[in-house]
Amino acid sequence: MLNNRPALPDSLIQTVVSEALVEDKAKDDITTNVLQNENLTATGQIIAKEEGIICGLELVIVVFKTLDKTITWEFLKTDGETIKKNELIGTVRGNASAILQGERVALNFLQHMSGIATLTNQFVRLSKNEFMILDTRKTTPGLRDFEKYAVRCGGGVNHRRDLSSMAMLKDNHLSALNKLGIPLKQAIQNIKNKNPDILVEIEVDKITEIEEAVNAHPEWILLDNMTPSQIRECVALIEGRTKIEASGGINLKNLRYLLNTGIDAVSIGALTHSFNALDISLECIFES
């Protein structure tokens, strides 16, 4: 698993923000250009419209600073903190046109990432610290690092970032090995020979597969789409010889059934593909 709270690289933030502004044609804002007054300034108040976990404030800064380097800001919250309905999160101040041009892009990032952080935090609180809440690679193309950062801000832990970060032998890999006549233990040894520092995880969806998987000496076993009673049986069979992850169909309603099963982690794709964007607004006060 990856470290829990590394910051996002400045260069990555700038690249993605710049692409988003180009996509929105911020500098060609027909509506805002009608103002035609460089002396008009504004204070944009960023306000929470619902309770949640804030995430993505650094991107807000970069959005507005990219449009106008003289923009100033003051945030009353930091990423990972709880926000309440109607609470002032912070302000941006400066050229009114720049604030209006960047408003939607800034809010898109903030609402998107805060939505992920908020949903993750709901799972974390329900877990009662019995096991880690992990994300998956089911992320928006091009935004993976931002979405995984949001998971960390919500109290979750990142699973592998990409295909080179960890070896996971899932159902299709296992079928391919079987077709080729390569024993599971030999496959893992081959991985370790080439990548001695890489963790290996094996997916298991039948209790009868547990012993073979454990004897192949992975660091993790993934129990896929198993019932709580099946998970408990698998935990008893594994006897602490590997770490155990559960996955498949887990949601806020049924997570509690995994308490007291003895697992180490639960991975949830919904954290980054089925969240609701947090409702946040930017309301401007104009000055001239």
Side-chain angles (χ1 to χ4, degrees):
M1 308 304 166
L2 302 180
N3 292 332
N4 200 31
R5 284 297 290 268
L8 289 165
D10 291 340
S11 59
L12 177 62
I13 294 176
Q14 186 63 67
T15 296
V16 172
V17 164
S18 295
E19 290 174 352
L21 290 170
V22 169
E23 176 185 61
D24 206 36
K25 296 188 181 298
K27 287 294 188 180
D28 299 320
D29 181 355
I30 295 172
T31 311
T32 298
N33 287 344
V34 75
L35 299 176
Q36 295 181 340
N37 190 330
E38 294 182 359
N39 295 321
L40 183 65
T41 62
T43 297
Q45 297 181 326
I46 302 171
I47 300 172
K49 294 300 184 181
E50 59 181 321
E51 183 175 334
I53 303 295
I54 194 67
C55 181
L57 291 170
E58 184 66 27
L59 279 80
V60 173
I61 296 171
V62 175
V63 166
F64 292 116
K65 294 292 283 187
T66 299
L67 291 168
D68 187 333
K69 295 185 185 302
T70 67
I71 293 283
T72 60
W73 69 91
E74 180 183 6
F75 292 148
L76 306 178
K77 294 287 183 177
T78 58
D79 283 354
E81 289 191 325
T82 299
I83 53 176
K84 298 179 180 179
K85 184 176 181 180
N86 297 323
E87 185 174 12
L88 178 65
I89 299 168
T91 59
V92 292
R93 188 178 188 282
N95 180 270
S97 292
I99 291 175
L100 292 172
Q101 290 165 353
E103 174 185 358
R104 178 41 50 202
V105 171
L107 287 177
N108 281 349
F109 282 124
L110 197 60
Q111 292 175 310
H112 184 99
M113 295 172 68
S114 297
I116 293 172
T118 299
L119 179 59
T120 301
N121 189 253
Q122 291 171 352
F123 277 101
V124 169
R125 285 188 282 111
L126 287 173
S127 75
K128 298 181 179 179
N129 294 318
E130 282 195 16
F131 41 73
M132 293 184 289
I133 298 297
L134 307 178
D135 56 19
T136 70
R137 288 169 40 249
K138 297 176 182 178
T139 55
T140 307
L143 294 180
R144 176 170 294 172
D145 288 319
F146 297 90
E147 294 180 343
K148 283 183 171 284
Y149 170 76
V151 167
R152 298 194 297 272
C153 286
V157 177
N158 295 148
H159 210 302
R160 59 176 179 167
R161 182 199 177 275
D162 50 50
L163 293 172
S164 71
S165 301
M166 182 179 179
M168 288 191 68
L169 294 158
K170 305 188 78 172
D171 53 356
N172 286 330
H173 301 104
L174 297 172
S175 295
L177 289 175
N178 185 57
K179 184 70 174 179
L180 292 169
I182 301 174
L184 181 57
K185 190 171 184 177
Q186 182 59 53
I188 291 182
Q189 189 59 54
N190 292 344
I191 291 171
K192 290 292 188 179
N193 288 341
K194 294 181 179 179
N195 310 275
D197 297 324
I198 287 293
L199 299 179
V200 177
E201 183 166 18
I202 300 173
E203 180 182 275
V204 172
D205 56 18
K206 295 182 180 67
I207 296 174
T208 54
E209 298 169 345
I210 286 292
E211 202 58 35
E212 180 187 9
V214 172
N215 288 335
H217 303 300
E219 282 75 28
W220 282 83
I221 284 180
L222 168 61
L223 305 179
D224 188 46
N225 285 300
M226 290 193 181
T227 66
S229 61
Q230 290 173 324
I231 289 173
R232 287 187 176 89
E233 186 173 348
C234 288
V235 170
L237 290 171
I238 292 170
E239 296 180 312
R241 289 176 286 173
T242 70
K243 296 287 188 180
I244 304 169
E245 171 189 343
S247 188
I250 299 167
N251 55 49
L252 291 170
K253 292 182 179 179
N254 62 27
L255 183 73
R256 68 181 185 274
Y257 298 119
L258 298 181
L259 296 173
N260 303 310
T261 57
I263 57 176
D264 299 286
V266 173
S267 57
I268 304 167
L271 299 182
T272 54
H273 72 60
S274 296
F275 63 94
N276 292 320
L278 204 67
D279 191 1
I280 301 171
S281 70
L282 189 150
E283 300 175 8
C284 286
I285 300 171
F286 296 98
E287 307 154 359
S288 59

